[in-house]
Amino acid sequence: MTPPGTHRGLVAGLGAMGSNHLRVLSSMDGVEVVGVIDPDATRRDHAGFPGFSTLGEALAATGAGFVCLAAPVDELPALATEAIEAGSAVLVEKPMAPDEDAARAMIELAEARGVLLGVGLVERCNPAVRALRERIESIGRVYQLHARRLSPFPNRDSMLGVAIDLATHDIDVMRFVLGEDVDRVFAETAQRRHERAEDLLCSTLRFSGGQTGLLEVNWLTPTKVRQLTVTGEDGMFVVDYLTQDLSF
């Protein structure tokens, strides 16, 4: 019997990100994974949870209170709509939709139905980022934030380009720790080695509080770098996303 107060959920999509979500959710107290959804029967069988080929089938069988969506991006709007219409809260992987119109439609539907819709901007949950947010006032006025998110090409089917697949994390973290919105953006992108999408982005951001943000993002470097440097009038913080360390 499920203990009172337990959140019962589904994971839709068992690729790289969906498998990560399944691993984390299944280890959390107060959460019960009641099913997984994937068109691939082998993936479903290996997951170790009740498997379904469609979200509708899973919702009808389980009455899950939330759905974690990690399917290919073109499928996310329809899946989110189905879950929201059923009254289930939704955590959707980013990018949440293939274009802005589809994303806004998802948000508007969730608001109209009073259903929680969240996006998997998971760097907000990184302990180093949360510590930075708590301590950022200690360096006084913030002058600049410089993010470097570099790696080899991941070669996953869902890749849309570094702007929407990677840089969204850094823009979100900058807004999160500053509590400011972006006023203007200048960016250059390029396709240097890969045919499917841009693999390099350099960008300058201006925030509403006057701070400057710099983004270096690519799928071209041989080693993985995930770093944020915040420079202020009284010091500097460096976040290493990979080791989850914050240094001053």
Side-chain angles (χ1 to χ4, degrees):
M1 180 179 294
T2 301
T6 298
H7 299 286
R8 304 173 70 252
L10 299 164
V11 176
L14 296 175
M17 291 308 301
S19 297
N20 284 336
H21 284 296
L22 179 61
R23 173 180 55 81
V24 173
L25 287 168
S26 61
S27 69
M28 293 176 64
D29 293 334
V31 173
E32 180 185 3
V33 177
V34 294
V36 295
I37 304 102
D38 197 282
D40 188 321
T42 301
R43 283 181 173 179
R44 297 197 304 268
D45 292 342
H46 287 171
F49 295 88
F52 303 90
S53 58
T54 69
L55 177 58
E57 179 188 3
L59 288 169
T62 65
F66 75 88
V67 181
C68 177
L69 299 178
V73 64
D74 289 340
E75 300 174 16
L76 292 176
L79 290 170
T81 297
E82 187 173 8
I84 292 168
E85 294 280 11
S88 295
V90 174
L91 174 65
V92 59
E93 253 305 321
K94 40 89 11 215
M96 64 185 292
D99 56 64
E100 182 180 352
D101 288 343
R104 289 191 180 278
M106 293 161 65
I107 294 168
E108 290 169 2
L109 178 62
E111 290 176 344
R113 297 302 173 92
V115 172
L116 181 65
L117 171 65
V119 182
L121 293 163
V122 296
E123 295 289 23
R124 285 193 181 203
C125 301
N126 190 308
V129 171
R130 302 192 77 82
L132 172 63
R133 191 186 191 203
E134 293 174 359
R135 297 177 58 188
I136 195 167
E137 291 184 357
S138 68
I139 60 172
R141 182 183 177 190
V142 174
Y143 296 144
Q144 177 180 285
L145 303 92
H146 182 185
R148 302 177 70 228
R149 189 168 293 264
L150 320 172
S151 64
F153 191 70
N155 198 28
R156 296 201 301 265
D157 291 340
S158 60
M159 295 297 97
L160 294 181
V162 295
I164 196 167
D165 276 306
L166 296 185
T168 45
H169 279 300
D170 298 298
I171 296 171
D172 180 67
V173 167
M174 289 180 180
R175 294 178 66 246
F176 180 63
V177 299
L178 287 176
E180 305 279 357
D181 285 325
V182 178
D183 275 352
R184 62 177 182 263
V185 180
F186 177 82
E188 290 282 352
T189 63
Q191 286 179 251
R192 298 304 188 194
R193 296 181 59 187
H194 304 291
E195 297 180 357
R196 292 163 53 187
E198 83 279 352
D199 51 25
L200 182 149
L201 177 145
C202 297
S203 179
T204 303
L205 312 176
R206 178 76 170 187
F207 289 88
S208 55
Q211 306 90 344
T212 299
L214 301 175
L215 300 179
E216 294 180 63
V217 187
N218 74 48
W219 279 327
L220 300 171
T221 61
T223 56
K224 193 172 186 178
V225 177
R226 298 286 189 269
Q227 188 179 77
L228 173 67
T229 302
V230 182
T231 304
E233 60 184 340
D234 296 322
M236 181 179 77
F237 283 114
V238 178
V239 170
D240 188 319
Y241 292 106
L242 298 178
T243 63
Q244 300 186 347
D245 290 326
L246 175 67
S247 57
F248 176 76

